[in-house]
């Protein structure tokens, strides 16, 4: 197997005899594996003609598309570091990420971020000029050299860049089994700037022969249903919050019934969503738990577990343990910080020119409050940095949120502490409502707020009871679907 990632993937496809099979579907065209690698080779030549050298960073401000695939594979073929970014961020946030990345070139899509052409942050080009007449047959770099840089979610602060080497990208580089996946049609609503989306679209296709549907616009729930119907999608990858909204769309029963697998990742699968999805999907629902810096932690099928906190079993060769505040390993069932033994971890850097900051074969602190059952199942109870202090007591919001989301007229909820005008601190619940099952009627928010507070008061200790409820159209989330609790905390007093 070649050390260069693109060459290794191309060899795998050729060995499997997939050259003339469909790899990707866009709105108006089907693209074969051969067309994918031919386009990548032409882009690799275009990068070199643009003066880029091995090790340079090329920032890909592109929507999910065959052009994004070409630019990723072409960058790896040319020995460049590909930095895909979220083109639907605000101009301020995208400028921040570009400044952090310090790219030698930005590849832009005029329909999404055309303003970058004149922003002066770095040289820019569209994809078309990179498609040189003659494809490059050389493959530069591999193994211990960087191939990819992704930004962390930024839920707890400014996003950082995590570098991945050629040997790291796409898992362990051992080719997964294609049994049951060759020819399957997949749709990922998580985009390719996100590790899960990149794996579910690009690497699932090139590794297993799955056909992936690529959508230039970010798929809304209604658009996703149309895409799944049009392309006869059989495998879906999405965040739980997206699935929650998908269940509100007409036609969801038809498309979900056709799916052979639904994988959710990127955020915690709430008790409410588990309760709604398991009866519909059963064993077809898979929950993945991981982090950008280290990849997968655990995976499981929610239908197999009795408690909503159960995530799944750790990945092979990745042992886990739970430790207390003194670093001592806790017994089975004890709650503390989850550590995982990983072959490598990519520590985020604040400037691209700093290059990879990796550690190998280490116990990595996840920052998650967790426990491990006697059966080895990992249970996630929230983030340690989400813990609030109320009346001198530590409060984990996840427990309260699960209770609130158990109400049939609550779609999703988040809880955080608020400093009151009198100087004291108490909890506030931010809630997105949904029509009552069977009635279609929107809740009387005042009455529902009182119900939710009474529910918490009846089931929880006094210091865990929200003092009030604020109604939102949607919880603030980042591009990966994770709740931005720091935004709730920062803006909390405007609702007082």
């Amino acid at each position: 197997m070649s050390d260069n990632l693109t060459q290794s993937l191309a060899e795998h496809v050729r060995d499997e005899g997939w050259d003339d099979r469909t790899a990707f579907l866009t709105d108006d065209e089907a693209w074969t594996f051969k067309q994918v690698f031919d386009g990548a080779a032409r882009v690799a030549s275009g990068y070199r003609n643009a003066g880029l050298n091995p090790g340079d960073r090329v920032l890909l401000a592109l929507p999910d598309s065959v052009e994004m695939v070409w630019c990723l594979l072409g960058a790896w073929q040319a020995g460049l570091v590909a930095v895909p970014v979220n083109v639907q961020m605000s101009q301020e946030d995208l400028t921040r990420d570009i400044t952090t990345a310090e790219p030698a070139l930005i590849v832009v899509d005029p329909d999404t971020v055309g303003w970058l052409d004149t922003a002066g942050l770095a040289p820019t080009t569209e994809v078309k000029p990179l498609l040189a007449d003659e494809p490059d047959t050389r493959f530069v770099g591999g193994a211990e050299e960087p191939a990819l840089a992704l930004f962390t979610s930024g839920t707890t602060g400014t996003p950082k860049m995590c570098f991945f080497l050629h040997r790291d990208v796409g898992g362990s580089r051992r080719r997964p089994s294609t049994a049951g996946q060759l020819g399957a049609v997949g749709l990922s609503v998580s985009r390719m700037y996100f590790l899960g989306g990149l794996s579910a679209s690009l690497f699932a296709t090139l590794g297993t022969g799955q056909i992936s549907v690529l959508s230039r616009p970010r798929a809304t729930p209604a658009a996703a249903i149309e895409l799944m119907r049009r392309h006869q999608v059989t495998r879906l990858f999405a965040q739980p919050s997206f699935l929650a909204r998908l269940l509100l769309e007409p036609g969801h029963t038809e498309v979900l019934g056709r799916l052979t697998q639904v994988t959710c990742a990127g955020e915690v699968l709430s008790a409410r969503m588990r309760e709604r999805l398991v009866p519909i999907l059963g064993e077809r629902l898979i929950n993945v738990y991981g982090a950008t810096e280290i990849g997968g932690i655990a995976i499981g099928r929610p239908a197999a577990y009795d408690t909503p906190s159960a995530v799944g079993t750790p990945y092979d060769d990745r042992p886990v343990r739970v430790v207390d505040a003194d670093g001592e390993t806790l017994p089975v069932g004890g709650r503390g910080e989850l550590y995982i033994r990983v072959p490598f971890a990519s520590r985020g850097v604040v400037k691209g020119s700093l290059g990879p900051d990796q550690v190998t074969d280490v116990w990595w602190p996840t920052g998650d409050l967790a426990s491990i059952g006697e059966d080895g199942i990992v249970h996630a109870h929230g983030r340690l940095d989400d813990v609030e202090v109320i009346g001198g007591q530590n409060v984990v919001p996840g427990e309260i949120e699960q209770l609130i989301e158990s109400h049939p007229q609550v779609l999703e909820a988040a809880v955080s502490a608020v400093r009151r005008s009198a100087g004291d601190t108490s909890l506030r619940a931010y809630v997105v409502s949904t029509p009552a099952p069977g009635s279609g009627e929107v809740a009387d928010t005042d009455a529902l707020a009182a119900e939710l507070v009474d529910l918490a008061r009846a089931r929880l200790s006094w210091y865990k009871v929200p003092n009030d409820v604020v109604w939102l159209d949607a919880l603030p989330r980042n591009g990966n679907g994770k709740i931005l609790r720091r935004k709730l905390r920062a803006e909390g007093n405007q609702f007082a």
Side-chain angles (χ1 to χ4, degrees):
M1 182 186 298
S2 169
D3 283 342
N4 180 280
L5 177 59
T6 297
Q7 186 174 9
S8 170
L9 292 168
E11 289 172 353
H12 174 64
V13 166
R14 184 176 61 249
D15 290 345
E16 294 289 338
W18 296 343
D19 278 352
D20 296 324
R21 295 183 65 95
T22 297
F24 296 100
L25 295 170
T26 57
D27 286 338
D28 54 4
E29 195 162 354
W31 302 87
T32 67
F33 285 92
K34 184 177 186 304
Q35 289 174 311
V36 166
F37 286 105
D38 285 350
R42 293 171 65 193
V43 168
S45 182
Y47 285 143
R48 292 193 176 104
N49 292 343
L52 272 63
N53 298 307
D56 284 345
R57 291 171 299 285
V58 54
L59 188 133
L60 306 179
L62 301 169
D64 279 17
S65 56
V66 71
E67 290 86 0
M68 172 66 102
V69 172
W70 287 339
C71 288
L72 284 163
L73 293 171
W76 299 331
Q77 179 172 340
L80 306 174
V81 182
V83 189
V85 293
N86 179 6
V87 295
Q88 292 173 315
M89 289 190 293
S90 68
Q91 185 168 334
E92 179 182 356
D93 286 347
L94 186 51
T95 298
R96 175 205 62 212
D97 283 0
I98 293 170
T99 302
T100 299
E102 300 176 306
L105 181 70
I106 303 174
V107 186
V108 301
D109 177 79
D111 294 334
T112 52
V113 284
W115 59 268
L116 280 173
D117 285 329
T118 57
L121 298 170
T124 64
T125 182
E126 295 180 25
V127 177
K128 188 174 181 179
L130 293 175
L131 293 169
D133 292 335
E134 294 297 325
D136 201 325
T137 59
R138 294 171 293 173
F139 293 87
V140 177
E144 303 300 317
E145 294 172 276
L148 177 71
L150 299 174
F151 282 92
T152 58
S153 61
T155 52
T156 58
T158 302
K160 295 180 179 180
M161 286 180 68
C162 291
F163 282 83
F164 299 88
L165 310 183
H166 280 255
R167 63 171 167 77
D168 301 333
V169 181
S172 66
R173 302 284 303 281
R174 293 191 299 267
R175 297 297 170 219
S177 168
T178 61
Q181 299 184 56
L182 183 63
V185 181
L187 171 67
S188 172
V189 298
S190 296
R191 313 291 274 179
M192 282 192 273
Y193 65 83
F194 169 51
L195 186 59
L198 188 62
S199 298
S201 292
L202 181 65
F203 293 117
T205 293
L206 301 181
T208 71
Q210 168 188 293
I211 300 169
S212 286
V213 177
L214 302 178
S215 172
R216 292 178 65 85
R218 180 185 293 276
T220 64
I225 286 177
E226 175 56 29
L227 286 170
M228 286 190 282
R229 182 182 291 124
R230 185 192 322 161
H231 297 294
Q232 300 291 293
V233 168
T234 57
R235 302 166 71 89
L236 177 65
F237 184 96
Q239 304 97 331
S241 56
F242 186 93
L243 295 174
R245 286 172 168 73
L246 189 71
L247 294 182
L248 301 177
E249 291 293 328
H252 74 267
T253 303
E254 172 200 347
V255 296
L256 290 180
R258 188 185 302 118
L259 297 176
T260 59
Q261 180 176 299
V262 176
T263 303
C264 59
E267 56 178 315
V268 173
L269 178 65
S270 69
R272 175 68 188 282
M273 277 308 302
R274 179 182 178 278
E275 181 181 286
R276 297 179 67 193
L277 288 171
V278 167
I280 298 172
L281 297 170
E283 292 292 325
R284 294 177 294 156
L285 179 63
I286 297 175
N287 188 25
V288 175
Y289 169 46
T292 299
E293 298 91 337
I294 56 174
I297 298 173
I299 185 170
R301 298 182 187 270
Y305 310 130
D306 295 329
T307 58
S309 62
V311 176
T313 55
Y315 280 89
D316 292 343
D317 304 322
R318 289 190 159 210
V320 295
R321 62 176 178 166
V322 173
V323 306
D324 61 19
D326 296 322
E328 297 296 324
T329 299
L330 292 171
V332 168
R335 291 193 182 192
E337 183 171 10
L338 181 70
Y339 276 65
I340 179 170
R341 187 84 179 189
V342 291
F344 75 92
S346 181
R347 295 189 290 204
V349 296
V350 296
K351 286 293 180 183
S353 54
L354 294 174
D357 181 6
Q358 286 199 335
V359 290
T360 58
D361 194 26
V362 294
W363 282 102
W364 181 262
T366 65
D368 291 335
L369 181 65
S371 59
I372 302 173
E374 291 183 358
D375 52 7
I377 301 297
V378 176
H379 293 253
H381 306 292
R383 290 285 300 172
L384 285 168
D385 49 24
D386 286 340
V387 172
E388 307 283 9
V389 179
I390 305 295
Q393 302 285 336
N394 288 342
V395 176
V396 179
E399 176 187 7
I400 309 164
E401 292 161 359
Q402 286 187 8
L403 178 62
I404 292 173
E405 288 176 347
S406 70
H407 193 287
Q409 287 190 266
V410 172
L411 180 63
E412 54 184 359
V415 173
S416 71
V418 174
R419 175 72 69 176
R420 306 293 176 172
S421 57
D424 61 320
T425 298
S426 61
L427 296 176
R428 170 172 287 155
Y430 301 89
V431 179
V432 179
S433 65
T434 187
S439 72
E441 296 182 1
V442 178
D444 175 339
T445 53
D446 288 341
L448 181 54
E451 283 186 43
L452 297 177
V453 172
D454 287 344
L455 175 64
R457 189 173 290 120
R459 300 276 294 275
L460 302 172
S461 301
W462 67 268
Y463 54 86
K464 299 180 181 180
V465 178
N467 191 64
D468 56 359
V469 175
V470 168
W471 300 98
L472 300 177
D473 293 331
L475 296 179
R477 296 179 183 274
N478 64 15
N480 297 344
K482 294 181 180 178
I483 296 174
L484 293 172
R485 293 185 187 275
R486 58 188 174 85
K487 185 173 183 180
L488 290 177
R489 294 183 182 114
E491 298 180 358
N493 287 330
Q494 77 181 63
F495 300 107

